[in-house]
Amino acid sequence: MFYKDNSELKFCMKLKVFNETHAFGPGVVKILELVSETNSLSASYKAMDISSSKGWKIIKRAEEDLGFPLIQSSIGGKGGGYSTVTEEGKELLHRYNIFVKELDIEAERLFKKHFTQ
Amino acid sequence: MFYKDNSELKFCMKLKVFNETHAFGPGVVKILELVSETNSLSASYKAMDISSSKGWKIIKRAEEDLGFPLIQSSIGGKGGGYSTVTEEGKELLHRYNIFVKELDIEAERLFKKHFTQ
């Protein structure tokens, strides 16, 4: 390391995709992944330790910017409501995750190149 | 585009480097670049439309995390105070900017690969 012998510099990368506002990033990605697992918005918000109004705002903002729904919910029935990620949501999530994964490999390489010499 | 014919999806990448907290990113980079140009912290904060207490907090947090000073200030004298970026600050800024620039090229390539087919 160039600056301090006993420290270990790291990096953190945050990616968002959007039309007009930076609406689809780590927050909404986490919600979609948790909804895929739990089929429950409230369980997902709880796992993320955010209020349902905050969670709903994150989703709505992304849906409005993208122009399609990310979450599909059925209300009521036996056992209460049930939420799933829409097909378009799954497709976007899939592309986003590959994009992040591949870019992270390049980031590791370039960070090493510029910060460990 | 896979999801909406008349829209143009974009991406935004944010990088931070740090030891323990995500302290060195776009905010402090902007301050250092403005200080390099103006030699004035107050002019830099004004250009960024942030308060001097907020600006100072951003710098202090980064300096504490990195373990070296980023800004050197001389107080008073004819014409008032004068601030410069330290040699270590310049070095880190230089490495960070090349890192971001090179990674941005990879990000453009990978975004195109995953979001325009």
Side-chain angles (χ1 to χ4, degrees):
Chain A
M1 293 289 169
F2 74 96
Y3 65 100
K4 207 180 163 192
D5 286 340
N6 60 346
S7 67
E8 201 186 326
L9 207 62
K10 296 173 275 288
F11 74 92
C12 159
M13 182 179 74
K14 202 169 169 181
L15 284 163
K16 293 193 177 182
V17 297
F18 62 100
N19 271 310
E20 283 169 13
T21 60
H22 296 189
F24 191 88
V28 67
V29 163
K30 187 77 192 154
I31 295 175
L32 297 191
E33 284 174 341
L34 285 165
V35 168
S36 297
E37 283 170 31
T38 63
N39 293 119
S40 161
L41 275 173
S42 57
S44 302
Y45 299 152
K46 205 176 166 189
M48 288 175 73
D49 200 20
I50 57 173
S51 66
S52 53
S53 64
K54 188 179 175 183
W56 190 238
K57 216 162 139 185
I58 293 172
I59 295 168
K60 273 293 133 201
R61 208 173 55 135
E63 288 182 338
E64 274 165 24
D65 181 69
L66 294 164
F68 56 79
L70 295 168
I71 300 281
Q72 204 160 18
S73 295
S74 67
I75 301 158
K78 216 177 171 185
Y82 185 91
S83 295
T84 51
V85 179
T86 60
E87 286 308 310
E88 283 157 311
K90 282 180 195 164
E91 178 68 30
L92 181 62
L93 188 62
H94 177 67
R95 287 173 190 248
Y96 175 88
N97 281 337
I98 296 181
F99 174 47
V100 172
K101 198 178 165 189
E102 291 187 8
L103 191 57
D104 213 38
I105 293 167
E106 298 299 332
E108 286 282 358
R109 179 178 66 79
L110 290 170
F111 184 75
K112 209 169 166 182
K113 177 180 167 191
H114 295 299
F115 285 92
T116 56
Q117 281 163 23
Chain B
M1 294 289 171
F2 75 95
Y3 66 98
K4 208 180 162 191
D5 287 340
N6 59 347
S7 66
E8 201 185 328
L9 208 62
K10 295 174 275 287
F11 74 92
C12 160
M13 183 178 75
K14 203 168 168 182
L15 283 163
K16 294 192 176 182
V17 297
F18 61 101
N19 271 309
E20 281 168 16
T21 60
H22 296 190
F24 191 87
V28 68
V29 163
K30 187 76 194 157
I31 295 174
L32 298 190
E33 285 175 340
L34 285 165
V35 168
S36 297
E37 285 170 30
T38 63
N39 293 120
S40 161
L41 274 175
S42 57
S44 303
Y45 299 151
K46 204 177 167 188
M48 288 175 73
D49 200 22
I50 58 172
S51 67
S52 54
S53 64
K54 188 178 175 183
W56 191 238
K57 215 163 141 185
I58 292 172
I59 295 167
K60 272 294 132 201
R61 209 172 54 134
E63 288 181 338
E64 276 165 23
D65 181 70
L66 294 164
F68 56 79
L70 295 168
I71 300 281
Q72 205 161 17
S73 295
S74 68
I75 300 158
K78 216 178 172 182
Y82 184 90
S83 295
T84 52
V85 180
T86 61
E87 286 307 311
E88 283 157 311
K90 282 181 196 165
E91 179 69 30
L92 181 62
L93 188 61
H94 177 67
R95 289 174 189 246
Y96 176 88
N97 281 337
I98 296 182
F99 175 46
V100 172
K101 197 178 164 187
E102 292 188 7
L103 192 57
D104 213 37
I105 293 166
E106 298 299 332
E108 287 281 359
R109 179 179 66 78
L110 291 170
F111 183 74
K112 209 169 165 180
K113 178 181 166 191
H114 295 298
F115 285 92
T116 56
Q117 281 163 22

